[in-house]
Amino acid sequence: MRRWQPIAITIKPLTVAGMLLLAAPTQAGTLSNDWTYAIDSFTDGTEGSIVGETSAFEFYALAFKQTSDRLFFAISSNLPLDGYPNPSARNGAVNYSDLFLNFTTPEFASANGNLVGIRFDSKNDTTLGLGVYNNVTAISLSSENTGYSSLADYNTQVALSGGTVGYADGTAAYFDSTQPAYTTIATGNFIGEVTPEFNLAELGLDFGAVGAVGSQIFGFSVAKNIFPSGGFIANVLLNAATMA
Amino acid sequence: MILLSSIAPIPVIPPVLPPDPAKDVPEPGSMVAIGLLGLAIGGSRLRR
């Protein structure tokens, strides 16, 4: 089984006092009712030879909203939070990766060690507990979860299956396409809790408004005051993003 | 999936200070004194 559904978005770097920071981002996502939606290709989730919306691994969109004191994230996909049972995967299932937020550099690899990571999936393979972590170093557990050997390998398989890899407003350059994708918080400092959210529609969440409705929609929130302010790049994958 | 956005700074709300009793004492010739003077003049007209 091979699967990966990235969207990449370009950013403008800004150097301040010798530190590379992300500038306030250009408007890359789709705004609707105070939510920002990053909409993925609907034909780049692969499940064996199946690709697209009939795949259990199709991701549709990642949404974000902030209030004065909370940050909300929501996912629309075909993968339940319980994961996809597979005896070849670590812990018997393919699950979500952790959610990573990069406030510092335009590439994931160069920010590794200085990421904010959110473990929201209680059944993935991360050994740290649910929560928000800073100074995160991420690793790849793709090979333990039947994933692709590299983004390049994934791109090839999607094309062979008749799909189209989506990168939204950017490119795949955010990741190193020759390497397995980072999926998992390995180390970091706990800084806050993750709260599951079950009534996000009351806060205006509507994946239907942007035409990105998967079979599974869920979300969570975190405290805002534990995050730096400014532009960030967030990404979430499967923990089977690559396979060695 | 990658999402690009930004986190807005949390507004800093100025602290609410307790009232300073010293500032509540009217100065000589203040609006309080002027008001009392006006009331006295008005009362005088009503009696006529």
Side-chain angles (χ1 to χ4, degrees):
Chain A
M1 249 165 290
R2 299 178 167 196
R3 55 203 72 86
W4 197 7
Q5 306 78 19
I7 302 172
I9 304 168
T10 55
I11 55 142
K12 296 179 179 177
L14 173 67
T15 301
V16 177
M19 183 177 179
L20 189 66
L21 303 173
L22 297 181
T26 54
Q27 184 52 55
T30 301
L31 281 175
S32 178
N33 205 16
D34 291 333
W35 284 85
T36 299
Y37 296 87
I39 303 172
D40 195 10
S41 164
F42 301 164
T43 62
D44 62 354
T46 60
E47 180 184 359
S49 60
I50 302 170
V51 67
E53 297 192 64
T54 55
S55 162
F57 303 104
E58 188 60 60
F59 282 14
Y60 291 79
L62 173 63
F64 169 72
K65 176 190 175 80
Q66 61 187 307
T67 62
S68 61
D69 61 345
R70 305 292 293 177
L71 305 180
F72 297 88
F73 294 91
I75 292 173
S76 173
S77 84
N78 285 347
L79 180 67
L81 266 175
D82 284 340
Y84 178 91
N86 185 316
S88 299
R90 178 177 287 191
N91 294 326
V94 175
N95 293 88
Y96 287 93
S97 75
D98 297 316
L99 175 67
F100 296 103
L101 277 70
N102 171 5
F103 290 86
T104 57
T105 74
E107 297 89 22
F108 188 100
S110 57
N112 200 11
N114 197 27
L115 297 162
V116 176
I118 303 175
R119 185 188 181 196
F120 62 92
D121 182 343
S122 64
K123 297 185 178 179
N124 71 11
D125 298 328
T126 303
T127 55
L128 301 177
L130 292 175
V132 185
Y133 299 83
N134 66 9
N135 299 323
V136 161
T137 297
I139 59 172
S140 176
L141 290 182
S142 300
S143 61
E144 287 81 356
N145 287 288
T146 74
Y148 288 93
S149 60
S150 67
L151 176 58
D153 185 22
Y154 160 74
N155 288 338
T156 299
Q157 185 58 43
V158 170
L160 288 173
S161 301
T164 301
V165 176
Y167 293 100
D169 300 321
T171 71
Y174 184 59
F175 303 108
D176 181 347
S177 64
T178 68
Q179 298 296 317
Y182 296 95
T183 58
T184 304
I185 300 169
T187 61
N189 303 317
F190 179 86
I191 56 173
E193 303 283 349
V194 172
T195 303
E197 296 287 348
F198 302 104
N199 297 301
L200 289 177
E202 295 179 0
L203 291 177
L205 179 69
D206 184 2
F207 283 104
V210 295
V213 181
S215 64
Q216 309 294 319
I217 292 173
F218 61 91
F220 54 88
S221 71
V222 294
K224 185 174 181 175
N225 62 4
I226 60 176
F227 287 82
S229 60
F232 67 87
I233 306 170
N235 75 278
V236 64
L237 307 167
L238 301 164
N239 64 1
T242 64
M243 179 172 70
Chain B
M1 292 188 289
I2 293 177
L3 177 144
L4 180 67
S5 191
S6 62
I7 297 174
I10 296 176
V12 177
I13 302 172
V16 178
L17 299 175
D20 184 350
K23 292 183 178 178
D24 294 338
V25 177
E27 297 291 330
S30 68
M31 292 302 292
V32 175
I34 293 171
L36 290 173
L37 178 60
L39 180 63
I41 293 171
S44 175
R45 286 174 178 168
L46 285 173
R47 280 196 293 271
R48 290 180 184 174

